Each structure stands twice: as structure tokens, then as C-alpha cells.
Amino acid sequence: MKTTIVGYPRIGSLRELKFAEEKYFRKEITAAELEKTAEKLRLENLDVQRQSGLDLVPSNDFSYYDGMLDTAVLLGAVPARYTALGLSPLDTYFAMARGYQGSEGDVKALAMKKWFNTNYHYMVPEVDDDTEIKLSDTKPFDLFSEALANGVKTKPVIIGAYTFLKLARFTGKKNAGDIAQSVVNVYADVIAKLSALGAEWIQLDEPCFVKDMTAEDITFFKDIYTKILDKKGSAKILLQTYFGDVRDCYNDICALAFDGIGLDFIEGIKTAELVEKNGFPKDKVLFAGVVNGKNIWKNHYAKTLAIIDDIKDKCGEIVLGTSCSLLHVPYTLKNESKLSDDYKKYFAYAEEKLSELAELKAITEGECSDKLEANKALFSQPRSGADKSVTERVAKLTDKDFVRLPEFAEREKIQKKEFGLPLLPTTTIGSFPQTIEVRKNRAAFRKGELCEADYDKFISQKIIDCIRLQEKIGLDVLVHGEFERNDMVEYFGECLDGYIFTEKAWVQSYGTRCVKPPVVWGDISRAKPMTVKWSKFAQSLTDKPVKGMLTGPVTILNWSFPREDISLKESAMQIALAIRDEVLDLEANGIKIIQVDEAALREKLPLRRSDWHSEYLDWAIPAFRLVHSGAKADTQIHTHMCYSEFADIIKDIDDMDADVITFEASRSDLTILDVLKENNFRTEVGPGVYDIHSPRVPSENEIENALHKMLDRIPAQKLWVNPDCGLKTRGEAETVPSLENLVAAAKNVRKTL
């Protein structure tokens, strides 16, 4: 058997690409210097994969920002507003990703959405009626040639034509079918050029195949790929799927002229069954995704070998691989100098997963029996982390624990009277800019270079300054700024029993934004209050309400590396009880508005609609309700949700029974507004009026226009005014004028009501 991976992380084992790009954005380095860093990282990745013994090493899995954005550029799908800026190709690319505001113009970034059921975000390609689809970039060819010059004939990776067309946004009268032939022509050209350069395998990623597919969808993709494969020549084409199974189109895929088909045996619930029931074409290579590309736990060799044993008689050649790109896991355990071996022995990051593939390959060939026995021994021994009191508390939950009384309508009246806020109340989502000073002091405190008293003094002053700034700007509901928090999930993980933490396990979320997910090791509980101290202090500084800021149980779980030995539902309920305890403590200490963010609620929604409730929503929504069901009627519960597609679950979101919900909505042109109106959304709502992921400052007029658009669909009595997410990643220079414009715009519109 041979081995391969779907893709590899690209940010650098120590986030070198992130830091280089941010220097470039600040004009501290040139484009040539940025490319030098990028090339160095690519060659390091190439060498690691080659040294591991990987048989088919991918190329073109590198990106400065996002693979979908790269594909749009490859196809020439660059909206005219970006080319009109007259910037260099690299700066045009970054303008699409981040927006641009400068001497050459002022444009917003492309819309950004979650990549299927992950915490990675992709840029949504935009196609208008004047877009000319044609081969417009050389990146796949350049990176293949770069690897070849360094001794490795790679397997180029490109997002497939069907997935591109399904995820692209069409802004005019044209639709996917209208440009399909042009897209086919580009893919045929790409395959021909790569083949001419010497590529033997070319990987086309089609994760959209694991979603629900209609008969029309199947006809569409078959037409596309029949035409592409007719022109493939001598190249071998690998159709790579991931994040689920291809139950709707398995036989259709097998009937097409693909040379290899990549199937996910980890998240693909029915993948093994499909192969068992239908067989697999002997003239094609099965690329079996048997090593988890999304979690950090070691592979259980006995289980994996059982899968291989079950399918090998149904197939011809099998290539062992990862279930998806390793983009979703950290680089290497070699950087974890502080994590105990008692924990590390259970983990495998990207580099270690390469070793797992090599060992699995050797075991299937009758070698490395010692590795198999060691793996069996690891999985046979009990792990620490069990807490009987936690599991018993979950077991005792009853239906009434998930219901808040009085009902929403009565609470809304009570809260209007309690707070006396004006129409269109203004607020922010929580965090304020995490300056270099904030990060340095936090790091010094963690290293023991700054004592707790001095660190608390520093945080106190930051909160004082933040409250005074918000009062000066004129915001109605304030926040304490979250200066003590490193991350909205990691911070809470550090305060909870049952979690462990890594040192360098960074994972790309979008662009230069990286997160370091905590690890759910055991049963989870709250040993002591987590946020009361600073929330209470902030509220003591002002007569205006200050929101208590918490992260919800589903988001904490979704943005962690979860256990694999218990269900996600069980873990979610454990976390929900811990956050519930915090809500009640905040309330008891005079915090009357409490925001419980569920930024990642949509993220883990099963990709197939038939599984939405039974596999996820039937426990995810109750987990949130459990958090606040004990709160008093005059305590206002807010929640927040990040970039995602909410239309199809909007009623479930309303059933969360929060009092106020804020959405990231600005990058999607506030399209959620129509959905809220159509579904008679009862919860008070704050769709973000400007995009905080871009460095540009929105004008007062721009925000006023957004508010008028909102008021056409949302009653003024239910509308809040806020940015679309926390301000942690922004600088103070753009934050202050943006919020000043937000407040001024709200006041101007208020006068017209």
C-alpha cells in the first residue's frame, strides 16, 4: 500500500507565515521578503513529508490566505471593484481577503463563511455577469515546479469545479450553469499544463459531494466531470472527498473516469457500508481516509486495520491517507516542551500523523509488529480524568432544567422597564483591541516575570480606560474589554477542570488568525468563579450596564479538541452546567446583562439535513437553554453567532430562548434580515453593522444606510446596533473612529423614528 495526505498546514510550525504577512500589511517588509518566508515554509513542509516516507506528497495546498480565494483567482473570478484599485496582484488578492482603504480607493472584503463543519473560514468567490472565467494564475504550476526542482514529484491539489460552482456567490442574472463550460475549460487547461510539467496524479477536492445532493446536482456534476475527464489525457485524476460520506452519488462517482477516489472513513458514517454493499471499481485506486485529519488523538491501529481488512477484498489498489487536510490540526508535538508525556503519548499532530501513516503501511506489509503492540497497549490502559460527581449531575437533569420562566414576551417587557434603554441601543460584542502592551503583560505574568498584584493592577487600569472610552463614545451597554483573556475558549478551558492545554498547537482559523484549541481530557466542571471578579469591578465604575461575557457550551466544545471516548452531547452538558453556575454567580453579583456567546453553533451542524436534529440540534439547543434557564426575568441574556449560514436553522436559533442575539452579518450584505422577517423572529437582534475583520473604518453614512436597511425588516423596538464581532484583532486607531461613527449613526437614525 502507498500513503498520502489530503493537505498539510501552511502557517508554519511557529506561525511564521502569519507574522510575515502581518509585517507586510504594516509595510515593514517587501513582497519579495514575504515570498521568501513562504517559500522557506513550503520547502520545510516538503522535506518533512518526504522524510516521513509519504508516497504522494501534495502541492498547491499552500495559500497566503485561503484555498477558495486562490481558486477564484486561478479562474479569473476577481470582481472589478478590486482590479479597479490598480494594485499589484498580491495586494489585489489581499484586498479581496481583507478589504482595502487607502489612496487607491475603499472596498470591503469578500464575504467569509465557515468551511463545512470546521472552524476554518473560506472566502466566498463572487461572480457577476461580466466575469470572464479563464485561466488567470500560475500558482499550481509554480508550486509543482518548485517541489520538482527540490526533488519531489508532487500531487497538485485544487478545489474541484463542482465545489467552486456550488459555493460561489452569483451577483447578477447568471448562475452556475451559465459559466460551467468556461470553468470546465479552465480545469482542462490546468490538468493539461500540470501533466506537461510531469504531474502523474492531480487531486481535485470535492467536499460538496458529502452534502445532500438532488437529482439535478448529480446531473450537473456528472456533466461537468464527464467533460473534464474527457480531456485529462495521460494524467491520473483523484476525486477527493472529505467531511462525510458520498451516499447520494457513490455509484455515479464510481462510473466516471476518475483514476482514484478519496473517501472519508472517519466522518463518513456510511462510507464503509457503501464500499461493502456496492463494491469498488477494480480499475480505480481507493484513497482511504483512515487517519483523522481533524482531531489530535493518536490513531487506534487495531480499529484502522479492521477497516482496511473489511474493504481490501472489495477493492484493487488502496492508498492510505488522512480523512481530510491536516490544515485542521497543529504542526508538530516537537514544539510541546511543557506538556507532560503522560498526555503527549496520546496525541498526534500533523507531523506525527505522517508517522502513523508510515507505521500503518508497514504493519499491512507484515512489518513493525512492535509498533502495533505498543499502540494496543496504549489504548488498553485506562486514562485519568473521570469525575463521578459530574456524570451524576448530568444524569439527574430533567426537562424543567431546560426551560426558562417566565416566557420571552413577559421577560421582554420586564427588561425594557428595568434598563430603560433608548431605541437602537448601542453596544459591542465583547473584546477590545489586544494591544502589544496587553499581550506582553499577559506573557510576563504567565512566565512569572510579573507578580499577580502588578498584573491585576495593569488589568484594572485597562478596564478603567475601556469603560471611560465607551462612556466618552456614548455606547449604551458597555463591556469590560476582556484584557485578561487570551482566547474566548482557551480562557474558559483554563478555568475549568477536565481540560489540558498546549503550548504551540496553533491552527489556522482564517487568514492570519490562528487559534490554539484546548483539549478536553476528562469530565468537565467549574471549580470556582471564572469571570465575576473583573465583571463586578467593571460594573462598579459606571452607572451604565456592563455585560458579563461568557462563551457558551457548544462553542467551547466545538472550538476544543473533543474526547473520543464519550459523546459530544455528554461533554456539552457537562460544560453547560459549568457555565450555568457562572451565569448565576454573575447575576448574584449584580451583573444584569450576560452575554453567552455561541459563535460556533452552526459549525458542527451535520452536513446532511436528515441528521441535523437527531445528531446535533436536539442536544446543542438544550445545552444553551440549560445555561440560562435559572436566570431571573430581569436578567437579560444575550448571545452572539459568527459567520455562517443561519437561514435554514433560524427557528432553532429562536428556540435558544435568548433575549438578544447578535450576528456577524456585514460581509454577507445583511442577507439574514429577510430570513428574520420571514420567520417572525421574536428575539431582539443586532446584525453587525460593520466588518471588524477588515482594517477599514466604516463611515457614519455607511452605518446609517445599514440601519435603514435593517429597519425595513426589523421593528425598531427589537433592533440593537453593534459591530459584527469582537474587536480583539483590531487596532485602537480604527476601533475608536469606527465606534464613534456607529454611535453617531444610531443617534441620527433614532431621531427619524
Side-chain angles (χ1 to χ4, degrees), residues 45-343:
N45 287 353
L46 189 71
D47 190 55
V48 167
Q49 293 172 67
R50 172 173 49 192
Q51 293 294 331
S52 76
L54 200 66
D55 293 300
L56 293 171
V57 175
S59 63
N60 199 46
D61 50 346
F62 171 84
S63 176
Y64 276 121
Y65 207 92
D66 168 56
M68 277 296 288
L69 182 60
D70 295 352
T71 308
V73 172
L74 179 70
L75 294 169
V78 179
R81 64 183 180 276
Y82 300 109
T83 56
L85 294 171
L87 304 174
S88 69
L90 180 62
D91 288 341
T92 301
Y93 174 90
F94 282 131
M96 295 168 71
R98 306 174 65 244
Y100 175 87
Q101 190 172 51
S103 58
E104 306 305 322
D106 184 356
V107 294
K108 295 180 180 180
L110 290 173
M112 185 164 67
K113 293 182 180 180
K114 289 292 179 73
W115 182 243
F116 294 84
N117 57 0
T118 75
N119 184 31
Y120 178 77
H121 302 63
Y122 74 96
M123 308 304 301
V124 181
E126 194 174 294
V127 179
D128 61 34
D129 289 345
D130 296 324
T131 301
E132 182 183 1
I133 299 295
K134 62 181 181 178
L135 183 57
S136 304
D137 193 33
T138 61
K139 176 172 166 276
F141 320 124
D142 297 340
L143 298 194
F144 177 83
S145 298
E146 176 185 82
L148 194 61
N150 284 274
V152 181
K153 182 177 285 189
T154 56
K155 172 191 61 170
V157 176
I158 303 167
I159 290 173
Y162 177 78
T163 291
F164 175 82
L165 288 166
K166 292 297 286 187
L167 298 185
R169 179 184 176 204
F170 292 85
T171 60
K173 295 181 180 179
K174 288 184 178 179
N175 58 35
D178 295 323
I179 68 166
Q181 185 58 55
S182 297
V183 170
V184 165
N185 294 340
V186 173
Y187 276 81
D189 287 346
V190 169
I191 290 169
K193 288 180 181 294
L194 287 170
S195 183
L197 289 171
E200 295 176 3
W201 279 99
I202 299 169
Q203 176 180 314
L204 300 180
D205 285 3
E206 288 289 5
C208 273
F209 282 13
V210 308
K211 301 184 76 174
D212 291 319
M213 297 183 74
T214 64
E216 291 77 13
D217 290 330
I218 294 171
T219 298
F220 185 46
F221 95 72
K222 286 169 65 177
D223 181 61
I224 290 170
Y225 274 106
T226 297
K227 293 174 180 177
I228 291 175
L229 295 171
D230 280 347
K231 299 180 181 181
K232 72 184 180 73
S234 60
K236 294 180 180 179
I237 305 300
L238 162 62
L239 174 74
Q240 182 64 58
T241 67
Y242 41 81
F243 301 145
D245 60 66
V246 292
R247 70 188 74 164
D248 291 343
C249 60
Y250 178 80
N251 289 321
D252 300 285
I253 290 170
C254 290
L256 289 169
F258 294 110
D259 301 279
I261 299 174
L263 301 177
D264 180 353
F265 284 84
I266 301 297
E267 289 189 278
I269 298 171
K270 292 185 177 293
T271 299
E273 178 186 327
L274 288 168
V275 175
E276 173 70 28
K277 181 179 179 181
N278 300 285
F280 188 84
K282 298 290 186 181
D283 62 341
K284 303 184 192 303
V285 180
L286 172 60
F287 286 72
V290 293
V291 171
N292 196 332
K294 287 171 68 175
N295 213 338
I296 49 121
W297 303 100
K298 270 194 174 175
N299 186 276
H300 194 316
Y301 287 174
K303 290 183 178 180
T304 298
L305 293 168
I307 293 172
I308 297 168
D309 193 55
D310 286 342
I311 64 174
K312 66 182 180 182
D313 293 336
K314 311 292 188 304
C315 312
E317 183 181 353
I318 296 177
V319 175
L320 302 180
T322 53
S323 63
C324 62
S325 173
L326 296 176
L327 164 71
H328 307 290
V329 295
Y331 258 78
T332 176
L333 277 168
K334 292 175 182 176
N335 293 328
E336 298 292 354
S337 60
K338 297 179 181 178
L339 195 62
S340 166
D341 286 339
D342 291 338
Y343 299 129

Side-chain angles (χ1 to χ4, degrees), residues 607-619:
L607 297 177
R608 294 187 177 276
R609 186 180 290 266
S610 59
D611 298 332
W612 281 3
H613 284 88
S614 62
E615 297 294 326
Y616 185 67
L617 291 174
D618 285 351
W619 58 261

Side-chain angles (χ1 to χ4, degrees), residues 492-699:
F492 286 96
E494 289 174 341
C495 297
L496 294 168
D497 291 339
Y499 268 96
I500 58 173
F501 305 91
T502 61
E503 184 182 1
K504 304 290 184 182
W506 294 101
V507 178
Q508 184 180 20
S509 178
Y510 64 85
T512 61
R513 169 69 170 157
C514 301
V515 295
K516 188 155 57 71
V519 181
V520 182
W521 176 261
D523 293 321
I524 300 168
S525 61
R526 188 194 75 145
K528 58 183 179 181
M530 303 179 284
T531 66
V532 172
K533 172 183 174 181
W534 294 122
S535 296
K536 187 177 179 180
F537 173 70
Q539 186 61 80
S540 73
L541 301 171
T542 181
D543 291 331
K544 290 188 173 184
V546 177
K547 289 191 285 188
M549 301 300 303
L550 305 174
T551 303
V554 178
T555 295
I556 290 178
L557 181 61
N558 285 347
W559 286 355
S560 302
F561 289 119
R563 292 167 65 178
E564 294 183 334
D565 60 326
I566 67 171
S567 69
L568 294 176
K569 175 182 178 180
E570 177 76 10
S571 286
M573 293 304 168
Q574 291 180 6
I575 301 170
L577 286 169
I579 302 302
R580 176 189 177 94
D581 293 343
E582 189 72 11
V583 166
L584 297 179
D585 265 350
L586 284 169
E587 185 181 69
N589 280 274
I591 307 301
K592 303 297 292 181
I593 299 180
I594 303 171
Q595 182 171 309
V596 186
D597 289 342
E598 282 294 16
L601 177 74
R602 173 64 192 247
E603 187 171 298
K604 296 301 181 185
L605 189 72
L607 297 177
R608 294 187 177 276
R609 186 180 290 266
S610 59
D611 298 332
W612 281 3
H613 284 88
S614 62
E615 297 294 326
Y616 185 67
L617 291 174
D618 285 351
W619 58 261
I621 301 300
F624 181 85
R625 293 173 69 112
L626 177 61
V627 162
H628 68 85
S629 63
K632 298 175 182 177
D634 60 355
T635 296
Q636 191 172 70
I637 299 295
H638 291 224
T639 190
H640 173 72
M641 293 185 182
C642 285
Y643 287 119
S644 199
E645 299 167 80
F646 301 115
D648 44 15
I649 61 166
I650 203 69
K651 291 183 178 179
D652 297 287
I653 292 172
D654 218 5
D655 285 343
M656 292 168 70
D657 201 26
D659 299 306
V660 180
I661 183 167
T662 55
F663 293 99
E664 281 186 272
S666 61
R667 279 203 180 191
S668 56
D669 291 336
L670 302 172
T671 53
I672 194 172
L673 298 177
D674 291 324
V675 178
L676 297 175
K677 183 177 181 180
E678 290 166 7
N679 287 275
N680 297 312
F681 198 73
R682 66 174 183 176
T683 312
E684 295 185 19
V685 63
V689 296
Y690 77 89
D691 173 26
I692 66 87
H693 295 85
S694 171
R696 62 183 296 278
V697 175
S699 68

